[in-house]
Amino acid sequence: MLELRNISKQFASRQLASDLSLCVAAGEIVALLGPSGSGKSTLLRIIAGLEPAEQGSVWFDGKDITQWPPERRGFALMFQDFALFPHLNVRDNVAFGLIEQRVAKRAARERSQEMLTLFGLANHGRDKVWTLSGGEQQRVALARALITAPRALLLDEPFSALDAELRSSLQQEFRQRITAAGMATLLVTHDEAEARAMAGRGVRLVEGRLQVLW
Ligand SMILES: Nc1ncnc2c1ncn2[C@@H]1O[C@H](COP(=O)(O)OP(=O)(O)OP(=O)(O)O)[C@@H](O)[C@H]1O
Ligand SMILES: [Mg+2]
């Protein structure tokens, strides 16, 4: 269980989070909506440990992890932009997280190939990422996020660059894969239909506070 307790954060004089609390259970997807600039990405960065909160704490499975560096938290982030490394092929993009954890290259590549097979990309391991379609690239990005078996998954508008048809098919696929992997997942999106299709619960961040939508 991922838990935010009484988080406050401001930039300049704007209050992005004001005594904000939220729980996400293992295997649960919670959607985070809210106007542009309301602080959604900032909140994901606080959870990931990339940005400090002014007040409050982040907990995971009953432990206060507020002071833990990002790598110790073991969370995966997936952003729409700069998702993949253009200089690496598909297999090495997916293997990246394991190699960072000092898994031997050969073992990491084998595991990467298994993930690619699971994601329907078995024949693309040696391709440059930019030769893949948008949907294929997003699958590679999710495979890369999941390969280290993260304890929580933070998705920041993962489908915003895709066309409507591809979006809806990937939404279903991602939802199933995430639920099967059993991770606490927070999904930031501007699209309420997407949020409802993927998430059992939805909240909206407005002026530093969370409103329950469903
Ligand atoms: N490091 C920073 N220093 C100063 N201001 C920042 C910093 N990071 C973000 N901000 C400001 O905080 C506000 C919230 O930004 P954030 O990216 O979290 O919003 P968002 O809800 O993700 O918006 P969008 O939906 O457009 O992605 C913005 O006004 C932004 O300019
Ligand atoms: Mg954002």
Side-chain angles (χ1 to χ4, degrees):
M1 161 113 78
L2 173 67
E3 224 184 319
L4 300 180
R5 292 192 189 166
N6 310 101
I7 294 285
S8 294
K9 176 79 179 176
Q10 67 177 47
F11 276 129
S13 57
R14 286 197 52 222
Q15 196 73 35
L16 298 181
S18 179
D19 197 29
L20 184 157
S21 296
L22 179 70
C23 287
V24 187
E28 185 184 26
I29 303 178
V30 174
L32 176 59
L33 294 115
S36 184
S38 59
K40 303 179 298 295
S41 297
T42 302
L43 201 58
L44 292 192
R45 287 201 299 274
I46 290 171
I47 296 169
L50 299 169
E51 179 115 51
E54 270 133 34
Q55 286 175 46
S57 51
V58 182
W59 293 67
F60 194 85
D61 282 354
K63 287 200 187 84
D64 183 349
I65 62 167
T66 314
Q67 304 301 330
W68 290 19
E71 60 278 8
R72 188 170 171 209
R73 298 185 187 207
F75 299 165
L77 284 117
M78 183 180 150
F79 294 102
Q80 173 60 49
D81 305 320
F82 57 85
L84 300 172
F85 302 114
H87 60 289
L88 297 180
N89 67 26
V90 167
R91 183 192 61 189
D92 289 347
N93 262 278
V94 174
F96 182 81
L98 290 178
I99 289 168
E100 240 190 351
Q101 290 181 348
R102 300 179 193 282
V103 172
K105 251 194 178 155
R106 192 188 163 127
R109 285 181 167 157
E110 278 172 16
R111 181 79 191 100
S112 167
Q113 194 57 44
E114 288 168 19
M115 285 297 281
L116 291 175
T117 302
L118 192 67
F119 277 65
L121 294 165
N123 298 324
H124 291 285
R126 288 175 190 279
D127 291 350
K128 295 284 182 202
V129 287
W130 42 265
T131 65
L132 301 187
S133 73
E136 287 166 346
Q137 289 186 29
Q138 288 311 100
R139 282 198 191 89
V140 173
L142 184 67
R144 193 181 67 176
L146 295 185
I147 196 169
T148 56
R151 305 192 300 168
L153 183 62
L154 307 170
L155 301 172
D156 200 348
E157 303 188 43
F159 309 121
S160 58
L162 305 176
D163 67 55
E165 198 178 327
L166 185 56
R167 270 174 102 116
S168 64
S169 72
L170 275 187
Q171 283 160 14
Q172 296 311 320
E173 183 188 330
F174 271 43
R175 187 170 60 81
Q176 284 161 10
R177 292 189 190 283
I178 291 166
T179 309
M183 286 165 306
T185 299
L186 203 51
L187 166 74
V188 169
T189 174
H190 277 113
D191 178 347
E192 188 166 335
E194 173 172 299
R196 287 184 183 274
M198 290 189 68
R201 261 191 316 139
V203 293
R204 193 198 321 267
L205 180 60
V206 181
E207 292 175 358
R209 297 183 183 276
L210 288 179
Q211 305 166 343
V212 176
L213 295 175
W214 69 89

